[in-house]
Amino acid sequence: MKAIRVHEFGDPEVMKLGETSDLSPGPGEVVVRVHAAGVNPVDTYIRTGKYARKPDLPYTPGIDAAGVVQAVGEGVTRVSQGDRVYTAWTLTGTYAEQVLCKASQVHPLPDHVTFAQGSAIHVPYATAYRALFHRARAVAGETVLIHGASGGVGIGAVQLARAAGLRVLGSAGTDKGKALVAEQGAHHVVDHHDPGYLDQLRELTGGKGVDVILEMLANVNLNNDLNALAMGGRIVVIGCRGTVEIDPRGAMSRDAAVLGVVLFNTPEDQMAGIHAALVAGLENKSLRPVINQELPLVEAPQAHVAVMESGAYGKIVLTP
Ligand code: NAP
C-alpha cells in the first residue's frame, strides 16, 4: 500500500510517498481503508522531532482518519467489514491507504457525514470537548470565549458550546474566518488582531467578563485573558507556541484558574465517553466538521505548511 513515510525528523519535505506492506489485523484489531486523513498542527510538531512524543523512525504520520473497515481480527465484535468509521488514535499512522487500530479506537461514522469530515473529528473535537466540559466544567448559561475559533479545534468548540446552551463568543483573524465562526453558531465574533477587541469583549459581557476561555495561542494571549475573565473564571490552555509573562494578580483578583489540557493525557474510559458524545452530536447534526481543503496524499508537505499559516478556515485533509 501507499503511505507517507518519514525516515528522518525535519522540514515538511522529509515526508515522502512510498510503498509499505499491506496491513492485517491481530486479535482485537481492525484495518481501516483510509478515505481521508486529517492534518493537525501536532503532526507537524512530531515531524520536527522536537515534540515530547517521538515515534521510532521510520514512521507514518497522522492521528486522524475516516474510512471503511477492511478487515477485523479475532474477537472483534464492535465493528464489521464494510462499516464506515472514524479513528481516534491508531497503531500505525493515518497518512496512508490503510491504518491499523485497536477496535476501541474506531467509532461509527453516520452516513450523512463525509469521510473528509470524519477525519476532522478526533483531535479537534475531542480536545474541544475535554477542554470545555472536563477541564473548564462549563455549564449552560455561562459565557465562553473561543479564542481562535476559525480552526479545527475552534469550530468544534463553537458547535459543542452552542449545543450545550452556552453563550458563545468567538475570535478569528480574517473576515472570512469571522463569517465562518458566526455561521457555526457563535453569538458574537471579534477579530483577535483588532487592537480594540478586548474592549469589545468587556462590552459584550456588560463589564462582567467571560466565564470560560478556550485559548489557542496562550503565549500571545494569556495575560490579556486573565483580565477578560469574570469572577471565578477559567482559562483552558489548548495551544501554546512559546513563553509568556503574566501578572498573576489578574487571576487572584477574580479567583480565576488557568488549566492545561493535552489530548494525549485522556484516560481510555474518559475518551470512550467523549466519543460517545461526539457520535451523538454527529447523529443529531449539532456537530458538522468544516473542511477547507482536500489534498492528495503526495502533497502532505504542502499540507503541513498550510496548517501552520494564519487565516484558518476549518480543516485540511489528505486523500489517499
Ligand atoms: P488551526 O486549525 O490551525 O487553527 C488555529 C487557530 O488559532 C485559528 O482559529 C487561528 O485564527 C487562531 N489564532 C491565530 N492567531 C491567534 C491569536 N493571536 N489569538 C487567538 N487565536 C489565534 O489549529 P487547531 O487544530 O484548531 O489547533 C489550535 C491550537 O491548539 C494549535 O496550536 C494546536 O497545536 C493546539 N492543539 C492542542 C491540543 C491539545 O491537546 N492541547 C489538541 C489540538 C490542538 P486565524 O487563523 O483566523 O487568525
Side-chain angles (χ1 to χ4, degrees):
M1 67 143 170
K2 288 193 172 29
I4 294 289
R5 300 294 282 165
V6 173
H7 289 265
E8 55 175 336
F9 295 115
D11 292 339
E13 290 67 34
V14 298
M15 293 187 291
K16 310 270 189 220
L17 189 62
E19 283 286 336
T20 59
S21 310
D22 280 347
L23 300 171
S24 60
E29 295 175 351
V30 172
V31 172
V32 176
R33 168 77 178 89
V34 176
H35 286 256
V39 176
N40 290 293
V42 70
D43 302 347
T44 75
Y45 317 151
I46 293 170
R47 188 209 68 235
T48 65
K50 292 173 190 155
Y51 192 66
R53 283 173 176 252
K54 244 192 209 187
D56 292 334
L57 294 171
Y59 80 100
T60 294
I63 297 171
D64 292 348
V68 173
V69 173
Q70 187 172 299
V72 300
E74 198 189 314
V76 173
T77 52
R78 185 177 158 79
V79 288
S80 309
Q81 199 184 352
D83 286 359
R84 300 174 88 249
V85 293
Y86 72 90
T87 66
W89 310 131
T90 71
L91 299 171
T92 55
T94 59
Y95 294 9
E97 289 178 328
Q98 301 167 6
V99 65
L100 184 68
C101 303
K102 292 197 259 177
S104 60
Q105 294 172 329
V106 296
H107 300 279
L109 189 68
D111 285 343
H112 69 272
V113 183
T114 66
F115 290 120
Q117 288 178 305
S119 74
I121 295 167
H122 172 54
V123 169
Y125 279 78
T127 301
Y129 190 98
R130 189 158 183 254
L132 197 54
F133 301 120
H134 293 188
R135 303 298 287 137
R137 301 193 175 276
V139 294
E142 288 192 310
T143 299
V144 60
L145 168 64
I146 319 288
H147 214 168
S150 49
V153 179
I155 288 168
V158 167
Q159 295 171 355
L160 284 162
R162 184 69 203 249
L166 283 106
R167 181 166 181 245
V168 183
L169 312 183
S171 85
T174 62
D175 287 344
K176 206 175 148 198
K178 280 174 67 183
L180 176 65
V181 174
E183 266 168 39
Q184 297 311 312
H187 294 92
H188 297 279
V189 188
V190 295
D191 183 337
H192 45 238
H193 300 312
D194 179 344
Y197 84 100
L198 294 166
D199 296 332
Q200 282 177 48
L201 291 174
R202 215 162 289 123
E203 279 164 33
L204 286 167
T205 57
K208 174 178 171 265
V210 296
D211 300 300
V212 172
I213 299 179
L214 300 193
E215 181 53 61
M216 305 303 156
L217 200 57
N219 53 302
V220 172
N221 295 320
L222 190 58
N223 196 52
N224 286 335
D225 286 349
L226 289 173
N227 296 313
L229 281 181
M231 186 63 74
R234 292 89 75 202
I235 298 166
V236 186
V237 175
I238 296 175
C240 185
R241 294 183 176 165
T243 57
V244 60
E245 188 174 308
I246 62 162
D247 181 348
R249 280 172 292 201
M252 291 162 69
S253 59
R254 294 170 176 79
D255 279 7
V258 179
L259 304 154
V261 69
V262 167
L263 191 62
F264 288 115
N265 295 340
T266 314
E268 213 166 306
D269 58 338
Q270 210 180 81
M271 191 63 94
I274 290 173
H275 281 285
L278 297 182
V279 170
L282 293 168
E283 284 170 352
N284 69 27
K285 302 189 180 172
S286 59
L287 304 184
R288 307 161 307 275
V290 173
I291 306 305
N292 179 16
Q293 238 187 322
E294 292 185 49
L295 297 170
L297 202 52
V298 68
E299 291 185 25
Q302 290 91 321
H304 273 208
V305 172
V307 77
M308 295 302 281
E309 283 170 348
S310 55
Y313 194 83
K315 290 290 300 182
I316 298 170
V317 166
L318 293 170
T319 48

